[in-house]
Amino acid sequence: MASLLAFLLFAGLAVVCALVALFHRSVVHSAFALLGTLLGVADLFLQLGADYLAMTQVLIYVGGILVLILFGLMLTPPDRRELRPARIFLGLAVTGAGALLFLTRMDSGAWKAAPLQELPDLANQASPTAEPIGLAFLERDSWLLAFEFASVILLAALVGAVFIARRRFRVDDEGA
Amino acid sequence: MNLFPIALPALTEAAAEPPSGDVGNPATDFLQGLLPEAVPWWMLTLLGAGLAFAAVMLFVTVIAMFSVWLERKVAGHIQVRLGPMRVGGWHGWAQSIADGVKLLLKEDLAPEGSDKVLFKLAPMLVLATALATFVALPFAPGLVIADVDLGVFFILAVSSVTTIGVIMAGWGSNNKWSVYGAMREAAQVASYEIPLGLSLLPPILYFGSFSLVDASAQQAGIGAWAETSGQWFGMAWYILDPTRWLVSIPSFLIFFIALLAETKRAPFDLPESESELVAGFHTEYSGMRFSFFFLEEYAAMFVMGIVGVCFWFGGYSFPGITALEPGPLLTFLSILSFTVKGLLMVFVMMWVRWTLPRIRIDQVMSLGYKYLTPLALALVFVASLIEYFAFVIAG
């Protein structure tokens, strides 16, 4: 009962804020509404006993990505030439594919939807997850290869970002 | 209104709590002794959360008022003047109370063209996140509101939400200077989170835990770590371990520099630099809403100082105190030691502020990315090697 109440509270927060983010006329308000969505989702992670994931969600998405989104919004003038139909089509295609995947998988195996009242009380019996996650990444015969691959991809992204943002010296100008 | 984010972890706990379980919050434990048996668990939890919130609010207010007075005195003495001397008599001790009353009585203004919703929401969000970080602080052995296993990670995560509040304030004010301040805050805080987090990794590796509770207990030699308490008059402080000096001292220095940038303190107070941006993101605020930003600043300084104290300087432990029998005296002296250590860190931050000139924003950025981050990464590598060999030697 209590876990259901907490679930409804934070799932509601996430959904309402997501709707505000979608439909608000001001794009900055939309970005600020994402704060509520991200915090609501973080709390859902917490209720599922994934404490490390919840904290990472707040630290990375709120402290990093949302700040960058706001930073970008404040610096960018609105684009008058935006191709609305194309974007709407692309958005529908992506969300539709995601929803289709979810709906086809929901009834099978581990995804089997449980009645809300029988939600397992995961947050209460949960043990800290930081240690198992660390071990799963670094132990032999575990996700070590995937972890290292991810780090190489991130490094490539970092080098690419620096390359794009680097200061361009004009050598072709006269007298330079 | 501010209750919402502070209650977020407590509420989750409360909601997940089966009627038979132990709540594990000192406030609820205290209430359980007072109230009759028949009180339902959810009411107990709510009351406990309320009591814990009230205690934190009182503590933060007193700390912030003392810090404001201290800042004015420190500034005064560094500039060869006396600072406040009149209000209340002895060295102007009541100056902060007078300031507080003044701020309470001032008119609450919102500029004509401001975004009313964001303008009013921002100070609440900022103060609420600052208060929420107190949840994971171990004030004394066994005295912590929520024993979060990821203690320091929780504090970093929650305090990163403050940035959103500051951007909200800058944007909502509809003032160019405020937006500049907000953008500087965004750039600066997002950059310094990296060296701040990395500089915390050497002590985390040393203690094998993210939890401030564990780190303090380990350094005080309490519970499972009782055998380590022989060192240095019963203190196994990280900074006092000679085998770790190679990493503990530089990592603390990086932590301290990054902390100044995170809490927007001079020489990194670019978001509110008064000579260029009037007062940055809080230019348009008055009265109580302005004082919320003020409270947040001092609360954040104290919390970050305490993170440093818990990881490098032994948390609440102090020679002579740790050896006492568990009881009210131990708890009281531990809280005292904890508070004094935190205020000492705050004092050093003030000392730095009134000594060093403000640096330029491009210097702030290059210091963060070109020097502190690589250095912190190298320290993490060296610390891992040291801890690995210490582990191998210990068998």
Side-chain angles (χ1 to χ4, degrees):
Chain A
M1 175 57 202
S3 58
L4 176 68
L5 211 67
F7 169 77
L8 288 179
L9 182 66
F10 290 103
L13 174 76
V15 170
V16 168
C17 287
L19 288 176
V20 172
L22 270 178
F23 294 113
H24 205 284
R25 287 187 57 193
S26 154
V27 72
V28 174
H29 278 246
S30 295
F32 281 124
L34 273 182
L35 175 68
T37 308
L38 294 172
L39 289 181
V41 172
D43 192 86
L44 294 184
F45 284 147
L46 215 56
Q47 285 184 48
L48 291 170
D51 56 346
Y52 185 78
L53 198 59
M55 306 287 166
T56 315
Q57 159 94 0
V58 175
L59 188 70
I60 303 292
Y61 278 89
V62 177
I65 291 175
L66 188 55
V67 169
L68 287 183
I69 289 176
L70 286 165
F71 199 75
L73 284 178
M74 287 182 188
L75 285 176
T76 323
D79 186 3
R80 302 270 175 228
R81 301 165 294 121
E82 64 181 33
L83 301 164
R84 286 206 137 246
R87 285 193 186 179
I88 288 172
F89 177 75
L90 193 69
L92 279 178
V94 171
T95 46
L100 204 67
L101 189 72
F102 181 69
L103 286 176
T104 49
R105 288 295 184 86
M106 204 168 74
D107 267 347
S108 67
W111 287 74
K112 196 92 179 164
L116 277 177
Q117 289 79 4
E118 295 169 21
L119 276 178
D121 206 353
L122 285 171
N124 198 46
Q125 66 203 25
S127 50
T129 52
E131 195 176 334
I133 288 177
L135 288 177
F137 272 141
L138 294 174
E139 260 180 345
R140 196 172 291 190
D141 299 328
S142 59
W143 298 92
L144 182 59
L145 189 67
F147 181 66
E148 292 298 332
F149 263 128
S151 70
V152 171
I153 291 172
L154 283 177
L155 183 67
L158 207 67
V159 172
V162 171
F163 180 77
I164 291 169
R166 81 195 190 286
R167 191 175 293 166
R168 290 185 180 80
F169 291 104
R170 295 240 175 147
V171 278
D172 48 81
D173 281 0
E174 76 276 10
Chain B
M1 275 177 287
N2 318 316
L3 231 145
F4 178 58
I6 179 101
L8 203 135
L11 209 68
T12 322
E13 262 190 20
E17 189 62 36
S20 60
D22 175 44
V23 188
N25 168 340
T28 36
D29 291 348
F30 174 70
L31 284 174
Q32 211 152 19
L34 287 185
L35 295 170
E37 287 281 317
V39 174
W41 64 273
W42 54 267
M43 199 169 166
L44 189 70
T45 318
L46 278 182
L47 283 175
L51 185 66
F53 173 75
V56 164
M57 193 66 211
L58 187 70
F59 186 76
V60 172
T61 314
V62 171
I63 288 284
M65 284 169 94
F66 180 74
S67 303
V68 170
W69 175 81
L70 187 69
E71 175 117 84
R72 299 178 71 163
K73 293 305 274 188
V74 168
H77 283 278
I78 285 179
Q79 296 168 344
V80 205
R81 45 186 185 84
L82 291 170
M85 285 299 284
R86 286 170 192 272
V87 187
W90 185 82
H91 287 261
W93 65 271
Q95 183 68 47
S96 295
I97 299 173
D99 284 350
V101 170
K102 180 194 76 178
L103 284 170
L104 270 173
L105 295 178
K106 269 191 170 179
E107 189 184 353
D108 178 29
L109 282 172
E112 181 85 11
S114 67
D115 189 326
K116 297 284 186 303
V117 178
L118 295 184
F119 186 83
K120 293 193 169 158
L121 194 61
M124 298 178 203
L125 184 67
V126 163
L127 183 65
T129 52
L131 291 180
T133 51
F134 277 81
V135 165
L137 298 185
F139 290 85
L143 190 65
V144 57
I145 296 172
D147 187 354
V148 190
D149 174 63
L150 291 161
V152 72
F153 205 48
F154 169 80
I155 290 179
L156 287 185
V158 172
S159 60
S160 72
V161 181
T162 311
T163 319
I164 305 285
V166 169
I167 298 175
M168 206 183 265
W171 179 266
S173 302
N174 193 19
N175 171 331
K176 278 176 190 157
W177 306 125
S178 300
V179 177
Y180 272 127
M183 303 240 288
R184 285 181 175 185
E185 159 89 7
Q188 178 177 319
V189 172
S191 315
Y192 276 78
E193 245 162 38
I194 304 161
L196 186 75
L198 288 175
S199 69
L200 284 166
L201 282 179
I204 288 171
L205 284 168
Y206 179 74
F207 297 119
S209 171
F210 283 105
S211 166
L212 296 172
V213 180
D214 278 1
S216 304
Q218 214 161 328
Q219 292 178 94
I222 290 173
W225 297 283
E227 76 278 8
T228 58
S229 61
Q231 220 174 335
W232 297 86
F233 308 103
M235 301 172 300
W237 295 8
Y238 182 48
I239 200 90
L240 291 181
D241 190 341
T243 56
R244 303 296 194 284
W245 278 345
L246 186 63
V247 286
S248 65
I249 295 170
S251 66
F252 178 72
L253 292 178
I254 294 177
F255 168 78
F256 193 79
I257 296 171
L259 168 163
L260 290 176
E262 279 287 299
T263 51
K264 316 181 278 286
R265 293 288 295 180
F268 302 101
D269 61 344
L270 278 306
E272 49 176 283
S273 51
E274 68 276 3
S275 55
E276 311 152 35
L277 300 182
V278 194
F281 60 89
H282 56 56
T283 304
E284 301 288 359
Y285 283 90
S286 69
M288 209 50 207
R289 293 184 199 281
F290 170 75
S291 70
F292 277 15
F293 285 111
F294 228 61
L295 266 179
E296 181 272 334
E297 178 170 341
Y298 288 99
M301 279 164 72
F302 186 78
V303 168
M304 284 314 213
I306 282 297
V307 170
V309 165
C310 282
F311 273 148
W312 280 274
F313 298 98
Y316 45 68
S317 71
F318 197 77
I321 292 180
T322 320
L324 290 173
E325 287 296 308
L329 185 66
L330 173 70
T331 307
F332 173 73
L333 288 177
S334 295
I335 295 175
L336 193 68
S337 147
F338 172 91
T339 313
V340 169
K341 280 182 185 176
L343 285 174
L344 268 177
M345 291 284 286
V346 171
F347 169 72
V348 178
M349 290 177 220
M350 291 172 180
W351 183 4
V352 169
R353 171 174 176 181
W354 294 101
T355 309
L356 295 179
R358 182 180 302 130
I359 63 179
R360 264 191 347 247
I361 186 76
D362 61 316
Q363 293 169 331
V364 171
M365 288 293 140
S366 69
L367 178 69
Y369 280 117
K370 289 185 184 162
Y371 302 98
L372 292 185
T373 306
L375 203 61
L377 272 173
L379 277 176
V380 171
F381 179 68
V382 177
S384 319
L385 283 182
I386 291 178
E387 299 307 334
Y388 176 73
F389 285 117
F391 181 72
V392 168
I393 290 167

